[in-house]
Amino acid sequence: MKRSLLITCCCLITSSLLAQIDPELLRRIPVKNDSLQMNMDAVYNRPFLQVGKLPVAIGGYAEANYQYLSENGVSEGHQFQMRRVTLFLSSSISRRIKFLTELEFEDGTKEINIEFASVDVEFAPLFNFRGGIVMNPIGSFNQNHDGPKWEFVDRPISATQLLPATWSNVGFGLYGKKFTTDWVYGYEVYLTNGFDDKIIANTENRTSLPASKENKERFEESFNGSPLLTGKFAVRHRKVGEVGLSYMGGVYNKFKEDGIVLDKKRRVDVVAVDFNSTLPVLKTFINGEWSWTFVDLPDNYTEQFGSKQRGGFIDIVQPIVRKRIFDWDNAVINIALRAEYADYNVGKFKQTGGNIYDHVAAIVPAISFRPTAQMVFRANYRHEWHRDLLGNPATRVAGFQIGISTYF
């Protein structure tokens, strides 16, 4: 009886509150589609919902999918997955001071991460301060990773298994842009906490930068007291597209403790180049990224750990229908193709001179339906070839993935 009464009261209160909501109260802040918007703008250029004139806006996105994949013909069957739910919260502290945070729940609540939480202070367009948890600007995917922007269910292999997207750290830095008529130049440079020795002391038994993401303490202390430097310079032409060159490097091992020298300083350095362009007439969108990783390994490590890694991806997205569909005025149907490659161990065996393999290649044809620019239905066919360290015949992974992703 008490439970029924409580439910009835809740329903009445909720109905009453909903009836009092002014339809003008909630205001959608649109995404800028300026042709001079760059990857570095992605963190703030998201759809937000603002309540009245409050200086706070909220937003987020969700991703869910179904997949049926098999490895050499053996499958785990039908899988439904809730990949992630991400919440944004931004606040304008004053006209030139703002704060944004991004909280992500992955695989249900298996992982909960603060991916971004920074205060931005604008002194001039070319001179802005950013401090807090920043997104290290290596490549383009790490900056521009929101699910609804992509026609593919899986994130690029090279961006998640060579580079540790999404990779963020506590630190400080500067960024800025300079505009001319058709050109915009942008830069970012940050000093943050960095990697740790999990790069080479992990359960993967190979060199793995993403293994450092397991160290949650990087948000409160540096593993070795050495800062990680991350910098990026990018240029964009209104009609041609954007090219970015980025660098990330620092010491990853604990070389000294309590004043005692344990080892020499061992560095990890990453260089990446990214580009994107929309071809005229057909409006074909091309987006790609390639990275090189260099790791200084201890002499006693075996050759299954690579001192060099490389890889990248290229996406080609072609709109084939753009018209009113089911009452959506600007609905779009795309066909797309992703080609990707990741080499975890570049080089040759010292004793035999033979190639070291340990790489993966994949090709992913796709079709997508976008009722609005903020939401995507996508269907992928995925085919991967995995070669082990010795280059034995490739293990094949293949199957279908169907998913949705939307901002809210």
Side-chain angles (χ1 to χ4, degrees), residues 163-398:
L163 303 178
T166 50
W167 176 241
S168 54
N169 275 298
V170 180
F172 302 96
L174 302 173
Y175 69 95
K177 295 198 295 184
K178 179 176 178 58
F179 293 88
T180 63
T181 304
D182 290 321
W183 293 87
V184 57
Y185 308 88
Y187 79 93
E188 294 177 86
V189 58
Y190 303 104
L191 289 175
T192 66
N193 288 339
F195 293 97
D196 60 21
D197 59 4
K198 281 189 169 52
I199 288 179
I200 56 171
N202 55 67
T203 57
E204 299 290 329
N205 290 321
R206 65 158 64 114
T207 302
S208 174
L209 270 60
S212 280
K213 292 178 66 177
E214 298 175 6
N215 180 18
K216 305 300 183 185
E217 293 184 357
R218 72 181 190 276
F219 294 120
E220 60 178 343
E221 64 177 353
S222 170
F223 178 69
N224 53 25
S226 297
L228 179 72
L229 171 65
T230 312
K232 181 172 184 179
F233 174 77
V235 58
R236 184 175 188 85
H237 186 275
R238 186 186 300 276
K239 297 180 180 179
V240 178
E242 178 177 345
V243 175
L245 178 63
S246 49
Y247 165 79
M248 178 171 66
V251 176
Y252 70 88
N253 67 323
K254 182 159 286 188
F255 54 91
K256 182 186 292 186
E257 187 165 22
D258 296 332
I260 300 174
V261 177
L262 305 175
D263 192 5
K264 73 171 189 177
K265 294 181 179 179
R266 299 190 182 277
R267 293 186 57 86
V268 54
D269 297 280
V270 184
V271 178
V273 60
D274 60 82
F275 65 94
N276 65 71
S277 180
T278 301
L279 302 182
V281 184
L282 294 178
K283 303 300 181 185
T284 308
F285 178 65
I286 301 174
N287 185 31
E289 174 181 306
W290 190 269
S291 67
W292 297 264
T293 300
F294 307 91
V295 179
D296 181 11
L297 297 172
D299 295 335
N300 59 347
Y301 263 62
T302 64
E303 292 179 272
Q304 74 183 76
F305 291 85
S307 59
K308 299 177 185 176
Q309 298 180 328
R310 64 187 176 193
F313 70 93
I314 182 169
D315 290 356
I316 302 173
V317 181
Q318 177 61 59
I320 56 173
V321 176
R322 187 188 297 272
K323 66 176 186 180
R324 181 183 177 88
I325 301 176
F326 298 127
D327 288 338
W328 286 296
D329 290 333
N330 297 305
V332 180
I333 297 175
N334 296 307
I335 56 174
L337 179 69
R338 168 176 290 169
E340 52 185 332
Y341 176 76
D343 190 337
Y344 302 102
N345 196 338
V346 180
K348 297 180 180 294
F349 289 107
K350 294 177 181 176
Q351 292 186 338
T352 65
N355 285 329
I356 299 175
Y357 290 86
D358 197 12
H359 62 229
V360 56
I363 189 165
V364 189
I367 185 168
S368 67
F369 170 56
R370 289 185 176 273
T372 74
Q374 315 304 331
M375 179 184 183
V376 60
F377 291 91
R378 50 199 179 194
N380 299 174
Y381 173 73
R382 184 169 195 85
H383 202 123
E384 299 177 358
W385 294 265
H386 296 257
R387 300 291 296 274
D388 65 12
L389 200 70
L390 301 177
N392 289 310
T395 300
R396 298 192 178 197
V397 176

Side-chain angles (χ1 to χ4, degrees), residues 110-123:
K110 189 176 179 181
E111 291 187 26
I112 303 175
N113 301 305
I114 299 176
E115 295 196 336
F116 190 90
S118 291
V119 175
D120 287 28
V121 182
E122 179 186 350
F123 295 97

Side-chain angles (χ1 to χ4, degrees), residues 49-68:
L49 195 63
Q50 190 167 16
V51 181
K53 295 182 179 180
L54 290 176
V56 177
I58 60 174
Y61 70 87
E63 287 185 282
N65 69 284
Y66 156 84
Q67 68 179 24
Y68 185 91

Side-chain angles (χ1 to χ4, degrees), residues 27 32 46 48 53 124 143 189 204 357:
R27 182 166 58 89
K32 294 181 180 178
R46 292 159 158 164
F48 283 93
K53 295 182 179 180
Q143 298 174 293
V189 58
E204 299 290 329
Y357 290 86

